[in-house]
Amino acid sequence: MASAESGAVAKLYGIWLGNPAEGDVVRDQSQWDVLTAEPGGIDHLETDAGGTAAMWAVPKGCAEDRVLLCVHGGGFVSGSIHTHRKMFGHLAKAAGVRALIVGYPLLPEGVHPLPVDHVVAAYRWLLGQGVDARRIAFTGDSAGGGLAVTAQLRARDQGLPLPAGTLLISPWVDMEVTGETMLSNSGKDALFNQPWVKELAANFLGGGSPRDPHANPLHADLTGLGPIYTQVGDQELLMDDSRRLTEHAEKAGVSVRLDVFPEQQHTFQMMAGRAPEADDAIRRFAEWVRPLLGL
């Protein structure tokens, strides 16, 4: 049975969708971080990563030559390095490494491929700082999870070395919006419905093809990517995105792991420090990525 604490995710999504009043304490997605406990013991420093706004999260005593490159979600219309700094901070602290939380332009400016280009620019900048690609792992949630994969494909096309692996939180990858759970989980997902996801996809693509491999990795050649570990809740409309991406990557010879968390909503990991399911998910990620980064 899901913990009472994890139910706060669905409650927050309900507030966003319910036209909150002017005086409500929490009113919109700029306050996404209310879900997440402050991890503590982390220094934060905003920086410019190759022309892209970014933020370092540096846990005390971490291995500073190992880095998680973190890409926030928000359907390309919300989210920021600030809304996600605490969640990625929990992950960095558990793994004992630095995190570089990367921003990108949101819609209406951030039409594909601009967000992908910004993530690649930040990765190129990170490599230029002397961090070995084999000591970098990408991570991202929702739309940021998709970008964490497509940015690697763009980086590969540009001749950059690929990172050691990828941690994905409820990644949104199917710009055709065709997954079976778009229907089977309708009414269970507290945030999304299929028409809204289709609208977000169309706005992001800006008239481009939903099968563009740099927008939809389900149509990309994933050969050569490092291991991919994906987590998703079983209540999500996007659950099939995780399943199909895992299957597609495995067929390309990529080492994969998929954990489906029962009774959990989209990006429940935002409850890190408050809900046992989120803390368990962060722990699993950290235990998986540490040896991948040589720790």
Side-chain angles (χ1 to χ4, degrees):
M1 178 180 294
S3 70
E5 294 87 349
S6 69
V9 178
K11 290 179 182 177
L12 181 67
Y13 292 161
I15 291 172
W16 291 347
L17 300 175
N19 298 315
E22 186 68 33
D24 286 352
V25 175
V26 177
R27 300 189 66 252
D28 56 46
Q29 294 183 49
S30 67
Q31 296 163 294
W32 206 342
D33 65 325
V34 298
L35 290 173
T36 320
E38 190 69 59
I42 296 179
D43 292 326
H44 292 92
L45 176 65
E46 293 188 43
T47 189
D48 181 296
T52 295
M55 178 187 293
W56 282 111
V58 185
K60 302 294 186 185
C62 71
E64 296 199 9
D65 61 340
R66 272 76 164 176
V67 177
L68 298 177
L69 192 153
C70 309
V71 192
H72 70 81
F76 304 111
V77 295
S78 66
S80 71
I81 60 178
H82 302 285
T83 60
H84 284 59
R85 69 164 182 85
K86 290 191 287 184
M87 182 185 72
F88 288 132
H90 278 280
L91 181 54
K93 185 175 180 179
V97 301
R98 291 191 295 169
L100 181 67
I101 309 166
V102 176
Y104 52 88
L106 301 177
L107 292 170
E109 176 192 358
V111 174
H112 178 70
L114 194 59
V116 181
D117 291 339
H118 273 254
V119 177
V120 173
Y123 180 50
R124 184 184 293 274
W125 176 85
L126 183 58
L127 294 172
Q129 300 300 300
V131 182
D132 191 320
R134 295 169 296 180
R135 297 294 182 252
I136 300 171
F138 276 45
T139 183
D141 67 293
S142 194
L147 289 174
V149 178
T150 56
Q152 292 183 57
L153 302 176
R154 180 64 63 87
R156 183 184 64 188
D157 290 350
Q158 295 178 6
L160 297 177
L162 290 174
T166 309
L167 305 167
L168 299 178
I169 297 170
S170 303
W172 177 27
V173 295
D174 178 19
M175 294 297 123
E176 296 179 287
V177 194
T178 57
E180 291 182 5
T181 50
M182 283 286 160
L183 299 177
S184 62
N185 275 347
S186 179
K188 299 177 184 177
D189 191 308
L191 179 61
F192 289 123
N193 59 66
Q194 190 177 30
W196 185 27
V197 178
K198 285 184 175 180
E199 180 183 358
L200 290 171
N203 291 338
F204 171 64
L205 293 169
S209 171
R211 294 192 170 199
D212 178 347
H214 285 151
N216 184 344
L218 296 180
H219 293 282
D221 178 6
L222 304 183
T223 303
L225 266 63
I228 299 175
Y229 176 16
T230 302
Q231 296 180 351
V232 67
D234 73 352
Q235 305 296 294
E236 299 190 46
L237 260 67
L238 295 177
M239 184 167 69
D240 258 7
D241 285 44
S242 292
R243 285 176 174 168
R244 287 183 294 154
L245 180 65
T246 299
E247 293 170 357
H248 186 53
E250 188 170 33
K251 288 177 181 177
V254 177
S255 175
V256 296
R257 172 177 170 179
L258 172 65
D259 285 354
V260 179
F261 287 75
E263 300 183 68
Q264 293 304 304
Q265 292 286 333
H266 186 61
T267 64
F268 68 90
Q269 293 86 347
M270 288 292 282
M271 284 293 296
R274 299 191 189 279
E277 294 89 346
D279 291 341
D280 177 43
I282 295 296
R283 176 191 58 78
R284 295 188 203 185
F285 268 153
E287 290 178 352
W288 183 85
V289 81
R290 281 181 57 83
L292 197 67
L293 296 178
L295 295 173

